[in-house]
Amino acid sequence: MTIRLSTSACPLDCPDACSLDVRVDAGKVTRIDGNEVNPLTQGFICAKVRRFAEHVYSPERLLYPMARTGQKGRGQFERITWEEALDRASYQMKEAVRRWGSESILPFSYGGSNGLISQDTTDARLFYRLGASRLARTVCSVPTRLAAEGLYGRMPTVAVEDYLHSRLIVLWGVNPSATGIHLVPIIQQALERGAKLVVVDPRTTPLAERAHLHLPLRPGTDLPLALGLIRWLFAQGKADLSFLQEHATGVSQLRDRAEPWTLPRAAAETGLRVETLESFAQMYATSHPAVIRCGWGQERNRNGGSATAAILALPAVAGKFGVRGGGYTLSNSGAFRLNSLSAACADPPATREINMNLLGEVLLGDERPPVKVLFVYNANPVSTLPCQEKVRSGMAREDLFTIVFEQVMTDTTAYADLLLPATTFLERRELSRGYGAMVLQDAGAVIPPEGESRSNHEVFAELCRRLGLSREGEPETDEAIAQAILSAHPQGNAYRSALAERKVAHPQTGYAPIPFVDFLPWTSDQKIHLFSEELDRIARKGLYAYEGDPATSRYPLTLISPATGNTVSSMLGQTWKREARLEMNPEDAHSRGIGEGDTVRVFNELGEVRVRARVSPAVRPGVVVLPKGLWSRHTLNGATANALSPDSLSDIGGGACFNDARVEVQPTGTAPPS
Ligand SMILES: Nc1nc2c(c(=O)[nH]1)N[C@H]1C(S)=C(S)[C@@H](COP(=O)(O)OP(=O)(O)OC[C@H]3O[C@@H](n4cnc5c(=O)[nH]c(N)nc54)[C@H](O)[C@@H]3O)O[C@H]1N2
Ligand SMILES: Nc1nc2c(c(=O)[nH]1)N[C@H]1C(S)=C(S)[C@@H](COP(=O)(O)OP(=O)(O)OC[C@H]3O[C@@H](n4cnc5c(=O)[nH]c(N)nc54)[C@H](O)[C@@H]3O)O[C@H]1N2
Ligand code: SF4
Ligand SMILES: [Mo]
């Protein structure tokens, strides 16, 4: 039996971008582990990717193109050839252009792969040149990205390895134990060296249990908390005025907007005690170096953009930059300044833009032209979008032609007219860039494609050819696309030789650069814009303006849906066999007559989910938790948290409000005796 050891890189939607060792026995992947190519990986990876072979060889793997035979939503298909599939796809797109105009085509993609080759290359070329509607990819990280861009121009942020040097680590709206596991041992070591840990999260996450201070605030109240801290820093003479003088603009406007948020008022709004806020403020003011790991939990509500901007303003106001382990961490995806789009020769046309959070609304509404062809790839909208019932009804429309390009059968594939089988990252080349770890990796295929699966760039290049949209000499193969992406960057050659020598490249700034030592903000004037005019212009009610809690007496509980270690968004959901639980505080459970394991109805005006309850003090009163990324099979009635999340939008950037659902919970049955 032949055994081969190959290296690869994980391109899944996760900040850590692990470097991998893959063992292949007789052509099959038998073992996946971490190696040391990406220094952050440190030789270990998450359980999900260790078991990724279960996904590659899943009984639910899509191996051939298929066409719908039964009713929409039933998931009945027959095998067809690629030739037929591509003919049908091309025909449907051409017909849509002819009958309703090119904007009746909507490409729909998001986070299946964060690799640079499989998104925004030949796919963009196809849809841009067709003149299709454009998709605003708002389901995640738009408010955080815009806030970081507005204040700091998306400069690279503190490398998580440098947390070893921090004396205070603040985890704000982030749960690394599930969503970026390589930070956990680093925090552990920092704690052993005497660092303090603060966690701002409505739930007692595993790291909140070990924190010196946990602020279980009401969801959506991060803005008053951050502004309260900012006001306090100024009022107590703890703001670093000389740093601000030298490096920041907009200081007085920020102070004005923070002025109403005294600590007692911020405490009342966040549902925390004033003493807790005071302790936090004192710890933050007096600890050096101090770092804030800002996550995404706080962005997914009506105040998400301003809240993130205010959190990111804190290290500037308190003068935390300029030392190793001081400042903040958010996404580092901008650090490489690589751009697939330009390399693919794809220029966005001025066509209609559709906010992906409103997919259900758009499919059901009277938009002109109506969406007639929906092309889904790298995404699982039935599982991951708000207003799930609307998305389902929209996708069930008989006059909508839906193409789903996927690796496995999902809740979304059930609505397809045409199914195209996609390769996984082990079956194709990928150029992967981390958004936490500052690494770029180029990994070839480790095994041949399963069945007839094909990679994204290949299929979209072929569709371009069939529709007469290809141009001579443009990059079409993985090699040509990878080279074009690297060549489009002034440092491309340096990246290329680093990849050849060490299998990994780091950005120009270095692997773990120190903000304000190694570079200044990437804004036009290299200053921090604490009151970005642009953010103030685009924010719904102006920058740092707080919108109050939309809870009603009918739906008094806030439902949040954080990530778990079982899936990456919804990906790998088919390998997770257990029933999901609704977590609720004992106070909320007992007042409703709900006990551990009882079946409950979680509902609001948008829908209803039936699950069993887990009664736990790990979630604060007034908040209930159903995980992100669930599939139909994980609940008792087939609906998931997104059946309850609204399609209202965040203050900045039209982001999703997954953590802004208001619900009521009722018991429907008691647990069977165990
Ligand atoms: N295993 C695994 N890893 C992942 C993912 C996954 O699904 N599974 N998803 C990947 C993706 S796509 C992303 S975007 C990142 C997300 O990474 P994280 O931001 O860490 O993920 P979340 O679980 O969405 O949110 C983090 C925390 O925010 C808390 N939270 C909810 N509402 C609020 C609020 O209003 N304020 C504050 N302060 N906290 C709040 C939640 O309780 C949760 O513990 O993780 C990536 N990594
Ligand atoms: N309730 C709730 N919902 C949420 C969130 C939440 O916090 N709460 N978080 C949101 C967040 S942070 C995100 S990022 C979104 C993610 O939303 P999506 O991007 O829709 O979710 P994924 O589960 O990543 O779906 C990616 C799909 O692409 C497929 N895929 C993977 N690689 C490839 C490939 O190379 N080619 C093709 N054609 N397909 C591929 C995978 O099999 C998977 O089914 O979900 C959001 N949904
Ligand atoms: S999902 Fe994250 S932790 Fe798991 S292997 Fe990929 S990059 Fe590493
Ligand atoms: Mo995300």
Side-chain angles (χ1 to χ4, degrees), residues 260-335:
W261 294 102
T262 60
L263 283 196
R265 195 168 159 223
E269 194 59 34
T270 53
L272 300 169
R273 293 171 37 221
V274 186
E275 300 80 65
T276 311
L277 268 57
E278 253 163 23
S279 306
F280 184 17
Q282 287 286 0
M283 275 166 93
Y284 190 61
T286 54
S287 309
H288 296 278
V291 71
I292 298 176
R293 202 308 173 219
C294 180
W296 293 268
Q298 81 292 338
E299 89 166 358
R300 313 196 199 289
N301 65 72
R302 67 207 178 277
N303 294 307
S306 279
T308 306
I311 295 165
L312 299 189
L314 277 163
V317 173
K320 298 300 180 190
F321 288 112
V323 286
R324 199 169 278 289
Y328 74 92
T329 304
L330 190 56
S331 172
N332 282 319
S333 66

Side-chain angles (χ1 to χ4, degrees), residues 13-14 110-111 114 139-141 296 299-300 435 569 628 658:
D13 195 340
C14 168
Y110 196 74
N114 277 359
V139 80
C140 170
S141 75
W296 293 268
E299 89 166 358
R300 313 196 199 289
Y435 63 91
S569 295
K628 156 197 183 186
F658 299 117

Side-chain angles (χ1 to χ4, degrees), residues 13-15 48 140 172-175 178-179 200-203 205 217 219-220 222 295-298 300-301 435 560 562-565 567-569 628 659:
D13 195 340
C14 168
K48 303 175 296 292
C140 170
W172 199 315
V174 71
N175 177 24
T179 60
V200 185
D201 196 306
R203 298 184 302 148
T205 56
L217 79 180
D222 302 86
W296 293 268
Q298 81 292 338
R300 313 196 199 289
N301 65 72
Y435 63 91
I560 61 173
T564 68
T567 59
V568 182
S569 295
K628 156 197 183 186
N659 291 334

Side-chain angles (χ1 to χ4, degrees), residues 10 14 16-18 45-46 49 181-182:
C10 176
C14 168
D16 292 4
C18 289
I45 57 168
C46 66
V49 172
I181 57 170
H182 293 84

Side-chain angles (χ1 to χ4, degrees), residues 13-14 46-48 175-181 203 205-206 300 560-573 575-576 578-581 583 614 625-631 634 641:
D13 195 340
C14 168
C46 66
K48 303 175 296 292
N175 177 24
S177 307
T179 60
I181 57 170
R203 298 184 302 148
T205 56
R300 313 196 199 289
I560 61 173
S561 41
T564 68
N566 306 314
T567 59
V568 182
S569 295
S570 71
M571 200 171 158
L572 309 174
T575 65
W576 189 59
R578 310 224 326 251
E579 238 179 58
R581 295 272 181 128
E583 244 186 294
R614 176 180 297 132
V625 180
L626 248 188
K628 156 197 183 186
L630 297 180
W631 291 27
H634 297 127

